[in-house]
Amino acid sequence: MEIIDAQQDSKPAEAQTPHQEEAITATTDQRLVFRPENRWKWWLLVALNIVFLLVGQSAAVLLTKFYFNHGGNSKWLASLTQTAGFPLLYLPLLFFRSVNMSLSSLNNVSHCLLYFSLGCLLAINDLLYSIGVEPLSVSTYSLICASQLVFNSIFSFVINSEKFTILKLNSIIFITLSASMVAIHPDASKDKNGKPPVRDQERLIAILSTIGASAGYALMLSLTQFSFEKVLKNDTFSVVFEMQIYTSIVATFVCMLGLFLSLEITDLKSEMEKFDEGKASYVASLIGTALAWQICTVGVVGLIYLVSSLFSNVVSMLSLPFVPVVGVMFYGEKMDAIKVLAMLFTLWGFASYIYQQYLDENKSKEKESEGIGDSNSELNLIDSDHIQ
């Protein structure tokens, strides 16, 4: 019996590699979270991060629009506010690990190259978003951003080997129709300041910039997931925060460089003095935008940790029906039949995607339970053989 016990103890040790041990540990932790007594905690965290994402994203877009509507003109400054609040992310990071431990990840050259590349891509996306949000109405801008789900599906298929289904194709088609309807529909909205509609050329540039930013953001999500699986190989909450912090540092530096090289820095003082709502409102709008983007980032990374990067992107689409309504209430924008129909198409596409996620989750749970059942059956057979 001692020999048999020794063989049983030695077999798993010989079969497990360090990578497999990490996977087993992660699986064990995940099962602890999904136990019935802990299920409500998981749902509470998911709901909380959804609120962070939706509130932060909506507030950030509206505050950025407020900045441009009342006299702000700096594209690079608006881009800078999207990442400049990254030091706030150290607060939740310190909850999980010390700063010295988090800095250890910078000793890896491949990690540094990863953070630098994603940071530069993030800075470009920020600039494209800033170019798009100024001329377009809030409702038009938000609905065009729905195209990021289409790009995300494409990049997930190419980079992350995501499988397409009828429901996902249905989602892509309807959200594409939604964005296309808004893009080709003339926007005659005027804000409360009485600004006339923008010229066709400016509007076209803004639409193309917004679509490009949506594609870039979707690419970042897929590359982030790929990085966790192939480069970082660690999907803990602290590592996700580290990626967000270090990429934001790079993006902030790039935006500051652009602010100086474009000479927009020389106009900021006069811009603040001429701001329609006063200097205090000017500073408050910039600080509020930076805080809102960081709240949104917390929600994004939280959902990546709890569920997946794809789910995080899908949830961000939930703000699309909300932002146009706020745009009508606060900026006097026109909510016509085309925008209402586009919102309905977006909601239908979102519902299709969520339902597919639900089916995939149930399928994975069934496979996991079958695997556990098979493992238990094999152990029972081994035990019965030992008894015999």
Side-chain angles (χ1 to χ4, degrees):
M1 289 296 293
E2 293 179 355
I3 296 176
I4 294 175
D5 292 338
Q7 291 176 348
Q8 291 177 345
D9 293 337
S10 62
K11 286 181 180 179
E14 294 173 357
Q16 292 176 358
T17 64
H19 183 68
Q20 289 173 329
E21 290 176 357
E22 292 177 1
I24 292 172
T25 303
T27 304
T28 303
D29 295 338
Q30 188 177 10
R31 288 177 182 173
L32 290 175
V33 174
F34 283 96
R35 282 181 178 178
E37 62 269 19
N38 294 331
R39 187 67 175 175
W40 68 271
K41 295 181 181 179
W42 184 86
W43 279 112
L44 180 61
L45 288 173
V46 170
L48 185 62
N49 282 277
I50 288 176
V51 172
F52 284 161
L53 193 160
L54 296 181
V55 172
Q57 180 174 277
S58 301
V61 173
L62 293 174
L63 286 172
T64 303
K65 190 64 178 177
F66 174 85
Y67 165 77
F68 284 119
N69 279 356
H70 294 279
N73 295 303
S74 176
K75 306 293 192 304
W76 281 111
L77 181 61
S79 304
L80 183 62
T81 58
Q82 298 183 40
T83 56
F86 70 87
L88 293 175
L89 296 179
Y90 273 106
L91 296 177
L93 178 62
L94 290 174
F95 180 78
F96 295 96
R97 59 193 301 185
S98 66
V99 177
N100 293 332
M101 292 178 65
S102 65
L103 290 175
S104 62
S105 63
L106 293 178
N107 295 330
N108 193 311
V109 176
S110 60
H111 292 185
C112 291
L113 292 175
L114 172 66
Y115 298 143
F116 178 78
S117 301
L118 291 180
C120 291
L121 179 59
L122 179 60
I124 295 173
N125 286 344
D126 293 344
L127 179 61
L128 290 175
Y129 273 126
S130 299
I131 294 175
V133 73
E134 180 184 10
L136 300 177
S137 65
V138 173
S139 53
T140 300
Y141 169 82
S142 300
L143 290 171
I144 292 177
C145 284
S147 61
Q148 76 183 40
L149 185 57
V150 179
F151 292 114
N152 192 22
S153 299
I154 296 173
F155 290 132
S156 296
F157 174 77
V158 176
I159 299 175
N160 308 122
S161 301
E162 183 77 14
K163 294 182 180 179
F164 280 106
T165 63
I166 297 299
L167 288 174
K168 287 184 178 180
L169 289 175
N170 176 76
S171 174
I172 292 173
I173 291 172
F174 273 92
I175 292 180
T176 302
L177 285 175
S178 172
S180 300
M181 289 169 59
V182 174
I184 64 176
H185 176 59
D187 193 351
S189 297
K190 292 185 179 181
D191 57 36
K192 289 188 174 182
N193 293 330
K195 290 184 178 181
V198 297
R199 293 179 298 178
D200 292 339
Q201 183 179 2
E202 294 178 354
R203 188 169 186 272
L204 178 61
I205 293 175
I207 289 174
L208 293 178
S209 298
T210 305
I211 293 176
S214 300
Y217 180 75
L219 178 60
M220 276 200 63
L221 287 181
S222 296
L223 290 177
T224 299
Q225 180 178 341
F226 179 84
S227 300
F228 284 135
E229 295 173 353
K230 305 298 182 180
V231 181
L232 300 177
K233 297 181 181 179
N234 193 339
D235 198 21
T236 61
F237 200 82
S238 58
V239 172
V240 173
F241 265 112
E242 287 174 14
M243 171 175 282
Q244 293 295 323
I245 289 173
Y246 296 137
T247 54
S248 295
I249 291 175
V250 176
T252 299
F253 175 79
V254 173
C255 290
M256 290 182 65
L257 188 63
L259 189 63
F260 280 92
L261 294 179
S262 64
L263 300 181
E264 288 184 357
I265 187 71
T266 59
D267 300 327
L268 295 185
K269 183 177 180 180
S270 61
E271 180 180 280
M272 180 174 62
E273 294 176 349
K274 296 178 182 179
F275 197 68
D276 296 340
E277 301 297 321
K279 296 180 181 179
S281 296
Y282 178 84
V283 176
S285 65
L286 295 177
I287 295 176
T289 304
L291 291 175
W293 277 122
Q294 294 312 310
I295 293 174
C296 174
T297 301
V298 170
V300 169
V301 297
L303 290 178
I304 290 175
Y305 171 72
L306 293 169
V307 190
S308 69
S309 60
L310 289 176
F311 182 79
S312 178
N313 189 19
V314 172
V315 170
S316 67
M317 297 296 99
L318 273 176
S319 65
L320 296 179
F322 171 73
V323 174
V325 175
V326 176
V328 173
M329 295 172 57
F330 290 94
Y331 294 116
E333 296 179 357
K334 182 180 179 182
M335 180 61 70
D336 51 28
I338 296 295
K339 290 182 180 179
V340 172
L341 186 60
M343 287 171 58
L344 294 177
F345 280 177
T346 301
L347 287 174
W348 178 255
F350 172 78
S352 300
Y353 204 97
I354 287 294
Y355 185 63
Q356 182 61 59
Q357 291 290 114
Y358 170 77
L359 295 178
D360 292 341
E361 182 182 357
N362 286 341
K363 187 176 180 180
S364 62
K365 287 181 179 179
E366 291 177 359
K367 289 183 178 180
E368 183 178 354
S369 61
E370 290 176 0
I372 295 174
D374 293 339
S375 300
N376 292 335
S377 300
E378 292 176 359
L379 291 175
N380 291 334
L381 289 174
I382 293 175
D383 291 339
S384 63
D385 291 341
H386 290 166
I387 294 174
Q388 293 176 359

